[in-house]
Amino acid sequence: MTRTMYDAVTAANIPGDALMVAGYIDRIVLAPWTDADWMRFPRAVKVEIVKKASSNRGHVLDVEPGDARPDEAPGWVRMRRAAGADPTVYCSWSAWPTVRAAFAAAGVAEPHWWIARYDNDPTIPAGAVAKQYRGDVAPGFDVSAVADYWPGVDPAPGGNGSPTEQGEDEDMMRVDCKAIPSNGFATLDLAGGDDARITIYPGRQPVWIGDVFWWGEGHVPGDNTTGGLGNNPSPGPDALRVSAITTFRCPKALLAEVNFSSNTDFHIVARG
């Protein structure tokens, strides 16, 4: 079973009733999609594409002339995995062997693949999770066939609509966060380990993360001046858009606090 996904430089070109869409979230020359663009598709599964291998965001890296190069793809995949994501690389059918060779040369396990081949055949090639089989359909969008389950994009089968956590243990704490359009707040307990971390598991829509603080020994509840170990705020005045699984590492932390806004339920997991 496959699904149909639309992507376009201009979001308004895609049918408004689309149930799966992909758009750009960073810029090389052309502007990325705006929040209003994404909001045109309230019922759709949303796939975020980046063009630059330096962008530690998104589900998919676009490898094609003018965007990321084949030799840059392994570094991007390694970076996204370190952030807790399960990444995908987009490239053409003809470039696929070259991009795969770059992963072999770099010693990096291959990502999921979204392959472009405009032959009007929606059959997804073996080893890929999606195929873009029609390009530049009027008024200006592409069409892809997508597998029923796309790791890193779709919630993993777990019975609750959320990605499943691997390796659950006694040092894990999960906080289920209800949709709060503005100024939500979550507190998580940690065990003070060297690998202490919190991981955001977004729902069907992105979560907007504001400041993330963590504390260790000596912290006095309500006093943010004592026992502080770290502060990982979003860059600039705007919140960080989290649409893929994202991890914040906070070594030695005993407590972490996350400020968020979200239109859908999601959850956060603390470990270590």
Side-chain angles (χ1 to χ4, degrees):
M1 180 178 178
T2 61
R3 296 170 288 174
T4 298
M5 179 174 71
Y6 301 87
D7 69 273
V9 171
T10 304
N13 291 342
I14 296 175
D17 59 354
L19 295 181
M20 192 169 198
V21 299
Y24 295 101
I25 62 171
D26 66 354
R27 175 196 294 267
I28 290 182
V29 176
L30 299 174
W33 282 20
T34 65
D35 289 344
D37 289 333
W38 291 104
M39 290 173 64
R40 291 188 70 249
F41 312 102
R43 299 173 56 215
V45 176
K46 299 173 178 65
V47 179
E48 298 186 338
I49 309 169
V50 297
K51 305 174 183 180
K52 298 183 292 187
S54 59
S55 296
N56 193 2
R57 303 170 61 196
H59 303 100
V60 179
L61 176 68
D62 189 347
V63 175
E64 61 179 309
D67 294 335
R69 302 189 309 268
D71 63 293
E72 293 178 317
W76 181 82
V77 166
R78 187 187 293 115
M79 175 176 66
R80 293 300 293 135
R81 285 174 176 158
D86 191 0
T88 295
V89 168
Y90 166 96
C91 66
S92 68
W93 173 263
S94 60
W96 197 9
T98 300
V99 185
R100 298 185 78 171
F103 279 88
V108 176
E110 292 188 13
H112 306 291
W113 297 104
W114 175 14
I115 301 303
R117 190 180 191 186
Y118 300 143
D119 57 4
N120 290 319
D121 180 358
T123 304
I124 300 171
V129 74
K131 178 187 177 184
Q132 190 181 72
Y133 64 96
R134 297 180 66 196
D136 200 21
V137 178
F141 59 79
D142 305 322
V143 183
S144 296
V146 178
D148 186 51
Y149 172 55
W150 186 342
V153 172
D154 296 309
N160 60 1
S162 300
T164 23
E165 298 82 32
Q166 302 298 319
E168 295 185 5
D169 53 44
E170 62 183 6
D171 289 333
M172 189 191 88
M173 175 186 181
R174 169 173 168 149
V175 172
D176 291 306
C177 302
K178 294 296 184 181
I180 299 177
S182 110
N183 296 324
F185 196 81
T187 301
L188 301 103
D189 294 321
L190 296 112
D194 290 334
D195 193 35
R197 62 202 185 277
I198 61 172
T199 302
I200 314 295
Y201 291 83
R204 285 290 185 177
Q205 295 185 30
V207 177
W208 297 94
I209 299 297
D211 287 328
V212 179
F213 297 98
W214 55 94
W215 292 271
E217 293 287 350
H219 174 61
V220 177
D223 180 358
N224 292 344
T225 66
T226 58
L229 290 175
N231 170 23
N232 194 346
S234 59
D238 299 321
L240 176 67
R241 179 189 179 99
V242 173
S243 58
I245 300 170
T246 299
T247 296
F248 294 88
R249 300 193 179 276
C250 39
K252 304 295 186 183
L254 295 172
L255 178 72
E257 295 181 342
V258 180
N259 177 254
F260 69 87
S261 300
S262 179
N263 289 321
T264 55
D265 295 350
F266 70 102
H267 69 274
I268 307 174
V269 169
R271 287 190 181 86

